[in-house]
Amino acid sequence: MHVRQLSGAPAAKVVTALPLRVRGLRVRAGGRELLRGIDVDFPAGQVTAVVGPTGCGKTTLLRALNRLHDDSTGLQVSGSVELAGADIYRDLGLREVRRRIGMLFQRPNPFPQSIQENVVIGARVHGLTGRSGARELAEARLREVGLWDAVKDRLGGNPYRLSGGQQQLLCLARALAVQPDVLLLDEPTSSLDPWATAQIEQLIRDLRERVTVVIVSHNLSQVARVADQVLFMVAGERVEVADVQAFFRHPSDPRTRRYVAGEAMTLPAMEERN
Amino acid sequence: MRRTAADLGFWAACWLALALVVGPAAWIVIGLVRKTWPVLSVDLLLKTTAQGGLQNALFGTLVLAAGVLILAAPIGIGAGVYMAEFASQRQASLFRFVSEVLAGIPSIVVGYAGYELLAIALGWGYSLLGGILALTALVVPYVVKSTEAALQQVPTSLREGAAALGLPRWLMLWKVLLPPALPGVLTGLVVALAISTGETAPLLYTANFSDANPPVQLLHHPVGYLTYVVYDYVQLPSARAHQLANAAATFTLFLLLLLIVLSRLLAARARRRTEQMGL
Ligand SMILES: Nc1ncnc2c1ncn2[C@@H]1O[C@H](COP(=O)(O)OP(=O)(O)O)[C@@H](O)[C@H]1O
Ligand SMILES: [Mg+2]
């Protein structure tokens, strides 16, 4: 039987995202080491999930990846974080780092400005859009995160009237509007409803070619759904970095095995992914 | 049984304490209003104290308050913003110390220092500007403190969101921190105005008093104001002077009441805003 190929072989996806390379990353608070020399590669165009018990340093790691610790006194960061070869602590300016490496927090934090202003404020300050392009930019990013229909009639309105999930999507639109190379997500769906959670997970998968994603998650079924690779941490140390399949099927470290088994009580079978 | 007795004692003590606070306040207000009521007439507003009214004093009080607002707002808010957002730990604590010392200086001393410096050394004589500066020195610490506190109460998550997006500090301040802090800042400003409206001491040596309407000049002319009438006219031996003193006290009280209500409204608005953000 003759099989016609309608669209030829699936076109190789063009990856425009950039890799992030972390070496010997340490964060100290007074005498305490919150991160004890982390080595990890976040490959371009992949989603890396960071998992580990509460307090193991996941948030601390993420915040070190866009220099958010620079603003908190009493924390010392050492080691190197390279975005496509450029050290974000030595070679790049702070504002460039913040533009190119975006962050979404656990709790949505829209600014006390209109919905449209929330989306475009970063793009405008980084010179990515003028005043005239603001509306189109807002529409494009809001469409991308699936919020457009809900807010198109109240772009000038108060973002705090939106539901928690909608607020988080707005924050995602805000982060995407500055065209980041890397997106850091710190348990972005832990306080959200299932619709917003599904929406964000879908976006993470769709964004992969453009943006290198690092996501902290406590939800192993979410990790299974969105991640390509997993970084497992305990007490400020890297335990293992593995392909997502390997992480769940045959983890090399006994601590990983225990963690997966412990958390996996509720974990459904790995789903087929696109 | 014993429990009920203890409860009763506790509530009685509470009521007594409340009565001790509210009682004298109510007594003052009622007494004033009762004494003022019969002499209340448009003449109070249309005539100067020279002619047996309060027009000049009321004008003077309002002009002084406007002057304080114009000076204390930018200075106090600017310093508060600087302390909360830009100063190093050491700078901030030094600044705070200076501000607290300033706040602790008795108002009569502020007035006397103003006299030595402005009226004598600079040769301004008794003047509107001298009075405004003395009052401003007195209330700026409050504005600084309330501005600083209002900014510190803005949720950290908003700061971090702005930082993570690479917004420069001034833009973060303007678009992210100031909107939620604004009602708190304004409340501080209104409280500062209320304090300055009730003061007499800083003005005695700087603005002194005039029974004519306030001058258009900032310098070399004394200015009248309500609290002076209260302070001075009760000592005069005429019934009309006593009536004027009472009326001036009532006007002052009324202005203070307005300002306090305004500050309450602003504070409530501030609370609503932060709750709404749910951060
Ligand atoms: N600014 C800080 N100063 C001191 N210790 C901190 C600071 N931030 C976090 N920690 C500590 O670092 C450890 C790791 O925290 P965190 O990175 O938030 O963990 P996770 O996100 O994995 O739950 C915790 O023990 C926490 O108490
Ligand atoms: Mg965390």
Side-chain angles (χ1 to χ4, degrees), chain A residues 2 43 49 55 109 121 146 165 208 232 235 266:
Chain A
H2 183 71
N109 56 355
I121 186 171
R208 258 186 303 203
F232 179 60
T266 55

Side-chain angles (χ1 to χ4, degrees), chain B residues 42 57 71 80-81 90 125 168 203:
Chain B
V42 275
L71 283 186
V81 165
R90 272 185 51 197
L203 296 173

Side-chain angles (χ1 to χ4, degrees), chain A residues 63 98 109 113 117 126, chain B residues 157 160 163 165-166 175 277:
Chain A
R63 293 166 68 94
R98 300 274 172 80
N109 56 355
Q113 296 289 334
E117 181 68 1
H126 289 291
Chain B
S157 59
E160 291 186 333
L165 201 60
K175 293 256 181 170
M277 281 188 270

